[in-house]
Amino acid sequence: MEYGIADLMNFSNSSDWSITARVLNKTDILKFKNGNGKYFSTILIDKTTDIRAIAFGDDVDRLFSQLKVKHVYNIKNGEIKKADKAYNNTKHDYEIIFNSSTIIIERFGVTDIPSHPQLKTIEHVFSMVVKTLIDTIGVIIKIEDPQEKNGKHKLRNIILADHTGQVDVTLWDSKATDFNAKEEDIMSIIGGKIIDYKNVKKISVTLSSKVEINPRWNETLNLQNWYKGFEKKKLLNLSQVSVGSQELNMFENSQSFRNKTEYERILQQMKIDDDLISKRLLELNDEEHKIESERADLNFKKQRLSIERDSIQSRLEN
């Protein structure tokens, strides 16, 4: 019997299940940090939800080449276990561990399975917890040249925008050097990691993230139509807002680009800065009062010394 991915939570004590799902993303074959063992992971989706699946050891060699991104498969058997949300951004509370009993058969002509998970608009980035993962899409409005970091890694920064705001995105290593998109292209990110850099949230595209340029999705067409009606120069005509330790790029020309979460953070920081300034002004006023008091006292003493000196000199002359 075939089940939906959402039903797999009921099979934590059984490996006898079957689903038909599309492969959304697949990592390269990765090695553990200690060098012992290898694994790869993939994100599967059907009409009910999405789920992460992982293969280890010998199952990597057997299954890796069978699974191709965007293709649809009937997948049978495997261990269902609780998902580790530190590494899993799917909606499912469980994940699949492929094992020796797992069978994968490609299905052709299946058109009713989604081609991507539910996407978040860019404004969500700024309210998400650091190190969590996001699926999003936007227009590329700026691409920087690759840079070298610590002599080991390459990185490239780009700016992604939609009707809710803009966000800095960092691509690493091969994703940075092999990046061949151009400004005004539409870029989707599946599994981008939320990071915090100088108190501003960004998206980091990791090895397990999937990037696609101009995907054939309805969201791509919607973004292209929106962008045509919005001049690029307005997007790039940014004012640097520096508040305390924050440096935020804010759109000057469109109310729709104002990110409420970031504005709330700015207002909060402004209040902190205002309190600090007020406190320092009080300190300075107090210091000025002390200085004026000391100046008056010194002037009085100087006058007394002058009077006494004149008196002594007068006596000596007489």
Side-chain angles (χ1 to χ4, degrees):
M1 181 176 177
E2 190 165 295
Y3 299 91
I5 289 176
D7 299 321
L8 292 182
M9 61 182 295
N10 301 315
F11 290 86
S12 58
N13 296 317
S14 171
S15 62
D16 185 16
W17 49 264
S18 174
I19 60 172
T20 295
R22 187 184 304 277
V23 177
L24 285 183
N25 189 17
K26 185 178 75 168
T27 68
D28 294 331
I29 296 176
L30 305 171
K31 292 184 178 181
F32 291 106
K33 291 182 179 180
N34 60 15
N36 297 323
K38 56 189 175 183
Y39 69 97
F40 79 90
S41 68
T42 182
I43 305 298
L44 306 172
I45 192 170
D46 69 4
K47 289 182 287 187
T48 65
T49 189
D50 56 355
I51 193 169
R52 182 176 185 240
I54 315 166
F56 299 96
D58 293 339
D59 294 312
V60 172
D61 299 326
R62 186 172 67 88
L63 300 176
F64 184 81
S65 61
Q66 291 190 44
L67 292 169
K68 295 180 175 61
V69 175
K70 298 183 182 180
H71 290 221
V72 176
Y73 299 89
N74 176 250
I75 302 173
K76 298 180 180 180
N77 307 331
E79 181 185 354
I80 306 298
K81 60 173 288 187
K82 270 284 190 179
D84 184 347
K85 286 300 182 180
Y87 305 96
N88 188 326
N89 70 320
T90 67
K91 302 177 187 68
H92 216 297
D93 291 330
Y94 288 78
E95 58 189 17
I96 300 170
I97 306 298
F98 293 142
N99 55 32
S100 58
S101 67
T102 300
I103 299 171
I104 297 176
I105 301 172
E106 187 165 3
R107 293 277 303 275
F108 299 94
V110 179
T111 59
D112 60 346
I113 294 180
S115 56
H116 61 78
Q118 185 175 356
L119 302 171
K120 288 184 169 67
T121 52
I122 286 172
E123 66 181 347
H124 285 87
V125 170
F126 306 101
S127 60
M128 292 179 67
V129 177
V130 172
K131 294 185 179 180
T132 56
L133 303 177
I134 187 171
D135 303 325
T136 190
I137 189 170
V139 182
I140 301 171
I141 61 171
K142 186 176 181 181
I143 302 173
E144 295 183 1
D145 293 331
Q147 306 171 38
E148 193 170 276
K149 186 174 179 66
N150 300 328
K152 296 180 179 179
H153 299 284
K154 294 282 188 178
L155 67 87
R156 185 196 296 266
N157 292 315
I158 68 171
I159 297 177
L160 207 62
D162 68 6
H163 68 284
T164 68
Q166 67 157 11
V167 67
D168 288 340
V169 177
T170 301
L171 304 162
W172 293 93
D173 297 325
S174 61
K175 282 186 168 65
T177 55
D178 298 341
F179 190 71
N180 59 3
K182 60 184 184 298
E183 292 179 5
E184 301 187 14
D185 278 345
I186 307 299
M187 174 175 161
S188 67
I189 303 172
I190 305 300
K193 181 179 286 188
I194 304 297
I195 62 172
D196 190 298
Y197 181 71
K198 293 184 178 180
N199 290 332
V200 179
K201 287 180 179 174
K202 302 173 58 175
I203 298 176
S204 177
V205 175
T206 66
L207 287 174
S208 59
S209 305
K210 181 177 183 294
V211 170
E212 191 167 351
I213 305 301
N214 298 321
R216 294 184 176 181
W217 303 343
N218 291 334
E219 290 83 357
T220 301
L221 181 60
N222 293 339
L223 278 166
Q224 289 170 337
N225 290 335
W226 162 78
Y227 187 69
K228 287 177 183 176
F230 199 93
E231 297 177 26
K232 182 182 176 183
K233 65 181 181 180
K234 290 184 178 180
L235 289 174
L236 293 177
N237 185 17
L238 308 175
S239 59
Q240 283 289 334
V241 180
S242 180
V243 183
S245 60
Q246 299 191 42
E247 290 185 1
L248 303 174
N249 286 330
M250 290 296 170
F251 293 105
E252 290 182 334
N253 299 298
S254 174
Q255 180 70 26
S256 65
F257 273 87
R258 293 184 178 178
N259 185 285
K260 292 181 180 179
T261 304
E262 288 303 310
Y263 273 19
E264 288 171 358
R265 290 176 61 188
I266 290 175
L267 289 173
Q268 184 180 19
Q269 186 64 45
M270 281 181 171
K271 184 180 184 305
I272 294 171
D273 288 353
D274 185 66
D275 290 343
L276 290 173
I277 291 170
S278 297
K279 182 180 178 181
R280 182 56 181 157
L281 284 172
L282 288 173
E283 291 173 350
L284 289 173
N285 288 336
D286 187 54
E287 289 174 6
E288 287 176 358
H289 176 73
K290 290 179 180 178
I291 290 170
E292 288 299 322
S293 177
E294 185 176 358
R295 181 182 289 113
D297 183 61
L298 290 173
N299 284 331
F300 175 74
K301 288 180 179 179
K302 186 176 182 179
Q303 289 176 355
R304 281 185 57 189
L305 287 172
S306 178
I307 292 170
E308 289 176 0
R309 184 176 61 248
D310 291 342
S311 176
I312 291 172
Q313 286 179 345
S314 177
R315 289 177 184 178
L316 288 174
E317 289 174 357
N318 294 330

